[in-house]
Amino acid sequence: MNGLRVAVAGATGAVGREMLSILSERKFPAAEVVPLASERSEGKTIPYAGAELRVQRLGHDSFEGVDLALFSAGGARSLEFAPSAVKAGAVVVDNSSAYRMDPEVPLVVPEVNAGALASHKGIIANPNCSTIQMVVVLKPLYEKAGIRRIVVSTYQAVSGAGQSAVDELRRQVEAAGSAGGSGNPPEAREMSHPIAFNCLPQIDVFLDEGDTKEERKMVDETRKILGAPGLPVSATCVRVPVYNAHSESVNVETERPLSPEEARELLAAAAGVEVIDDPARLAYPMALSASGRDPVYVGRIRRDSSAENALNMWIVSDNLRKGAALNAVQIAEALIEMNLLRAA
Ligand code: 25A
Ligand code: L14
């Protein structure tokens, strides 16, 4: 193979920029990378592998000769433009929620269900960031002991809501600092309420039953990825004033007994997972140390004595990397390895 022609839709966004740097870091076999974004960014340059690439406007005609298209420009753009990319002969890895629950579309975390890629029809969906980091850890426990129920609460960074939300937290923190703590309450634009020095139990929109769409995505996507349609999953998703990396408190009830020691041993051997669990040294996963790194970190693994066969744990990962851009590039690498992606 002489190298692939790779398009990145949404290349100027928080996830898109990460996609470009991960493609280059991992020496992805790209002969050419085409950054696409909205007309706002047309003609600007963006760094890739030590060079500057000129951003082109995303259009239906952007995919001539493209082998692989990574999409991260929001669901509306994926619905509008991914079919054009497929028609032009590209395989699409889509980071939005647009196609995830489509039964024709594989929803893939390579460490968990790479086999699902074999049935793809041109579009592969990249799961929600909070779901990805949870299933990477739960899969080995599921295989060993079965899972009866999952209860998860998330502590999600602002980078998940895009570059504009990162800018908003920075603005609010700086405004509070310059007012000596006694200034006006910070103004909220990107999120429903101020996020600096606050926690917001709302990510994405509210649905009829009182859940948010983010909570619903965690339930539905976990079931689809694990191939466990009826699995009881209960999720509460919270935005916290962290710039990058999502944290999760996970309570899991297994079908068969599983000790914390056994769980630690399984997870120490699992692909993509790093165990940091040494309370005597005050060692546990944290957003600040996970940010900029690839693994899913797990710690605080302990028995929950309030239920039978129950464990508690704390899971942290970089939501822009394993939660989005890295997982998408790993999907593309798996496609190449499985001979499911060929240069046009
Ligand atoms: O539209 P939706 O469905 O509501 O969702 C879109 C939002 O979800 C984010 C995305 O992040 C956006 O906020 N998003 C989507 N999937 C995500 C996921 N899985 C996700 N976030 C996390 N996980 P974003 O704002 O970081 O990136 C948006 C990208 O989409 C491009 N885009 C938007 N509309 C488009 C379009 N592309 C083509 N056609 C359209 N109609 C968008 O390009 C961006 O690449 P852009 O040119 O409109 O925006 C570039 C502007 O972004 C700011 N910016 C981004 N990164 C930086 C930056 N500025 C400085 N430094 C940076 N590092 C600038 O303001 C620039 O002008
Ligand atoms: O479904 O933290 O990929 O706001 C994108 C935004 C996941 C959550 C998705 C956030 C969402 C993310």
Side-chain angles (χ1 to χ4, degrees), residues 95-97 100 126-130 156-162 203-204 214 217 221 239 246 319 323-324:
N95 199 39
S96 82
S97 60
R100 288 179 190 152
N126 197 65
N128 169 291
C129 36
S130 305
Q156 295 183 222
V158 292
S159 64
I203 295 180
D204 214 330
E214 180 76 352
K217 284 184 277 190
E221 295 180 25
R239 184 82 65 201
H246 291 353
N319 53 296

Side-chain angles (χ1 to χ4, degrees), residues 9-17 36-42 44 57-58 72-77 81 95-96 100 126-127 129 159-164 167 319-320 323-324:
T12 53
V15 172
R17 283 171 188 271
L36 305 167
S38 75
E39 62 189 80
R40 273 173 300 197
S41 301
E42 193 174 2
K44 287 185 191 164
R57 183 176 177 173
L58 171 63
S72 192
R77 265 68 61 187
F81 296 102
N95 199 39
S96 82
R100 288 179 190 152
N126 197 65
C129 36
S159 64
Q163 188 58 42
S164 50
D167 296 341
N319 53 296
L320 297 182

